Amino acid sequence: MRVLIKINYRLLLVFCFLSALSLCFSNLSYCFPLHGDSERYKKLRYKMVNNQIVARDIYDQKVLQAMRDVPRHMFVPKERRRSAYKDSPLPIGYGQTISQPYIVAFMTELLKPEKDDVAFEVGTGSGYQAAVLSQIVEKVYTVEIITPLGEAAEKRLKELNYNNITVKIGDGYYGWEKYAPFDCIIVTAASDHIPPPLIKQLKNGGKMAIPVGHPFGVQNLMLLEKSEEGEIKIRNILPVRFVPLRRKWK
Ligand code: SAH
């Protein structure tokens, strides 16, 4: 009897030691997944896609897969990583925000992006929207007006191996003439009008999604479509709230 108790006591000790060790490792991968992904974040991301995106009728499989693949937590400040998969926008510094996951998916789907497309984004911010688009199209050009945000996004995208995205610091109001025309244009800051240079740089048959309205008032997500003949049709899609499109000299 005494021998049995001794053996069990030892087993118990070994069991405790192993449990503590596994707990320690699982916590480490949760708290410090600085490079790459972790199972825990992946689970949160899949849940985000089901509960926030599929549940709200986004059906494009390419968009859903991109939202499952891009590690959103790597695009928010470290102290916000735990909130990365919540149903809301998040601050990314300099008074700017990364959009709510549903809005990113919705705007991406609206553009009906195809794999041979060249896309242009105004408002790189964290680089998240560009990363999502880059999973679907051939090439993404993106412009950010706040230098440190644009530089950080460029570095992040490079580290995460998004090699088909080119970032530029500048005023996206003017588009990016050098690489125009674009199959799709996405503007992730609100303007009181649709910038004419962007309309010009949209390919015939192309689509542009842009929030239009007052900086802190009512804004509408608009879809501008250019027919194969160059005719323009603009539709009001959804009331939204975006940070304002800045103009350098204002
Ligand atoms: N698409 C971003 C979020 C955008 S927030 C993401 O996925 O994280 C809007 C961004 O637009 C901000 O970073 C802001 O600095 C930028 N912005 C505002 N006006 C701009 C302009 N005229 N040209 C380029 N970027 C602009």
Side-chain angles (χ1 to χ4, degrees), residues 2-238:
R2 263 187 75 168
V3 175
L4 254 181
I5 289 170
K6 245 186 189 168
I7 290 169
N8 281 347
Y9 188 60
R10 269 193 195 153
L11 274 176
L12 193 70
L13 267 178
V14 171
F15 177 76
C16 288
F17 176 72
L18 288 177
S19 310
L21 206 67
S22 84
L23 199 71
C24 179
F25 274 109
S26 70
N27 272 347
L28 272 179
S29 73
Y30 179 74
C31 297
F32 305 110
L34 292 181
H35 291 284
D37 212 348
S38 78
E39 271 310 304
R40 167 140 188 130
Y41 282 126
K42 203 169 168 184
K43 269 192 195 148
L44 288 175
R45 198 155 59 244
Y46 274 60
K47 209 166 135 192
M48 166 194 90
V49 170
N50 282 338
N51 296 352
Q52 301 172 34
I53 297 169
V54 175
R56 293 182 181 132
D57 300 333
I58 302 283
Y59 297 116
D60 187 331
Q61 289 305 318
K62 291 180 295 209
V63 176
L64 297 178
Q65 198 51 48
M67 298 294 292
R68 284 188 195 106
D69 289 342
V70 178
R72 183 171 162 95
H73 63 278
M74 301 297 287
F75 291 82
V76 302
K78 276 181 200 146
E79 65 279 10
R80 302 232 178 236
R81 282 196 178 149
R82 278 163 189 261
S83 306
Y85 297 101
K86 285 191 178 158
D87 193 11
S88 63
L90 288 173
I92 53 170
Y94 304 91
Q96 307 305 312
T97 55
I98 179 175
S99 302
Q100 177 191 8
Y102 170 65
I103 291 293
V104 173
F106 185 88
M107 287 177 81
T108 310
E109 187 181 62
L110 201 58
L111 295 170
K112 298 216 165 27
E114 295 292 341
K115 79 173 184 351
D116 298 328
D117 283 356
V118 177
F120 176 65
E121 180 193 33
V122 180
T124 316
S126 67
Y128 178 68
Q129 173 72 72
V132 168
L133 254 178
S134 80
Q135 298 294 94
I136 304 170
V137 302
E138 189 174 301
K139 178 80 200 179
V140 180
Y141 294 97
T142 177
V143 176
E144 171 56 52
I145 205 164
I146 300 178
T147 304
L149 271 183
E151 285 176 353
E154 187 175 30
K155 184 165 171 273
R156 177 178 302 122
L157 290 166
K158 199 173 267 170
E159 278 171 8
L160 294 170
N161 287 320
Y162 291 99
N163 298 319
N164 59 341
I165 304 175
T166 305
V167 183
K168 181 174 92 165
I169 311 294
D171 186 350
Y173 182 93
Y174 298 102
W176 199 338
E177 190 80 61
K178 187 173 170 193
Y179 298 108
F182 304 105
D183 300 282
C184 11
I185 297 181
I186 184 164
V187 183
T188 60
S191 173
D192 58 6
H193 63 277
I194 303 179
L198 297 185
I199 302 180
K200 197 165 159 228
Q201 290 176 27
L202 187 65
K203 216 181 241 179
N204 283 4
K207 291 181 174 36
M208 171 172 12
I210 177 168
V212 180
H214 293 288
F216 301 103
V218 181
Q219 299 163 4
N220 278 304
L221 180 60
M222 307 269 207
L223 177 66
L224 183 149
E225 292 171 282
K226 216 184 229 187
S227 73
E228 293 298 343
E229 295 71 40
E231 242 173 66
I232 286 160
K233 203 169 78 189
I234 301 172
R235 278 192 288 149
N236 225 330
I237 304 291
L238 193 76

